[in-house]
């Protein structure tokens, strides 16, 4: 029994440490943007059952190829109005207003590909999935294949989604896909 408790404790600790390392970098602190604003652990009320495991519905708020403030591959989780405002500023600079998000039941994730040498790159959240111990955001970076016509200017692709709030630690899994051109 003691061994089982140690193993379960190690699994939980590794999930928390992994999420922390994934979302926290010194660059983000220097930009004044917290990588993750932790979601307070909550228990669902009696009228709201929380499913354990399985796919999570999400909505893409916006995507683009020229994020204003992120030049390296980063992910951000925003759980309050200040976090969403900072995330929006990273994507659009100071000229854009933030979207209306129900922060009592939703959180926002921004994925940024970083600076790319040409056009033809894209980044997207393709799936979000819960397990009993964590929420995984699946991210796909699409790169142009040989022979693709691309703009000869720097690009900084991004995608921002909204998903239901969860007390689970958030992790990610990256994949790369090549767009074939004739």
């Amino acid at each position: 029994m003691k061994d089982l408790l140690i193993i379960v404790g190690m699994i939980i600790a590794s999930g928390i440490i992994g999420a922390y390392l994934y979302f926290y970098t010194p660059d983000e602190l220097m930009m004044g943007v917290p990588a993750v604003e932790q979601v307070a652990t909550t228990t669902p009320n009696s009228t709201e059952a929380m499913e354990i495991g399985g796919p999570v519905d999400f909505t893409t708020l916006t995507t683009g190829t020229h994020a204003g403030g992120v030049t390296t591959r980063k992910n951000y989780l925003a759980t309050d109005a200040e976090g969403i405002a900072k995330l929006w500023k990273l994507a659009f600079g100071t000229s854009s207003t933030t979207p209306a998000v129900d922060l009592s039941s939703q959180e926002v994730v921004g994925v940024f590909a970083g600076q790319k040498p040409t056009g033809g790159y894209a980044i997207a959240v393709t799936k979000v999935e819960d397990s009993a111990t964590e929420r995984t955001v699946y991210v796909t970076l699409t790169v142009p294949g040989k022979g693709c016509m691309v703009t000869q200017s720097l690009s900084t692709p991004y995608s921002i989604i909204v998903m239901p709030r969860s007390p689970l630690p958030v992790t990610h899994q990256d994949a790369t896909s090549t767009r074939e051109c004739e």
Side-chain angles (χ1 to χ4, degrees):
M1 181 68 172
K2 183 178 176 184
D3 292 340
L4 179 61
L5 289 175
I6 291 172
I7 291 170
V8 169
M10 289 174 55
I11 290 171
I12 292 170
S14 65
I16 292 169
I17 290 169
Y20 178 78
L21 291 174
Y22 169 70
F23 284 106
Y24 173 81
T25 65
D27 289 341
E28 293 160 341
L29 290 179
M30 290 185 343
M31 286 189 278
V33 178
V36 176
E37 298 189 15
Q38 287 294 333
V39 178
T41 301
T42 59
T43 54
N45 61 35
S46 59
T47 61
E48 178 184 330
M50 185 166 79
E51 290 185 34
I52 296 179
V56 175
D57 290 333
F58 66 92
T59 303
T60 301
L61 292 176
T62 186
T63 62
T65 57
H66 295 288
V70 182
T71 57
T72 58
R73 173 73 180 91
K74 304 255 190 234
N75 299 312
Y76 295 93
L77 174 65
T79 59
D80 61 20
E82 182 182 339
I84 293 172
K86 289 177 182 179
L87 177 60
W88 228 247
K89 185 174 180 181
L90 285 173
F92 301 107
T94 58
S95 63
S96 182
T97 58
T98 59
V101 175
D102 179 5
L103 294 170
S104 66
S105 64
Q106 298 175 317
E107 53 195 11
V108 178
V109 172
V111 294
F112 295 82
Q115 190 173 48
K116 301 302 176 192
T118 66
Y121 290 84
I123 193 166
V125 173
T126 54
K127 179 171 65 168
V128 178
E129 196 168 66
D130 283 350
S131 71
T133 59
E134 66 187 14
R135 173 170 282 180
T136 303
V137 176
Y138 292 85
V139 180
T140 300
L141 174 65
T142 302
V143 300
K146 287 187 175 187
C148 289
M149 301 272 299
V150 296
T151 59
Q152 295 301 305
S153 63
L154 298 174
S155 63
T156 51
Y158 65 91
S159 182
I160 301 175
I161 68 161
V162 63
M163 62 185 182
R165 188 178 279 272
S166 172
L168 295 172
V170 179
T171 64
H172 74 89
Q173 187 168 354
D174 288 353
T176 302
S177 171
T178 302
R179 182 172 50 97
E180 298 301 326
C181 300
E182 295 180 28

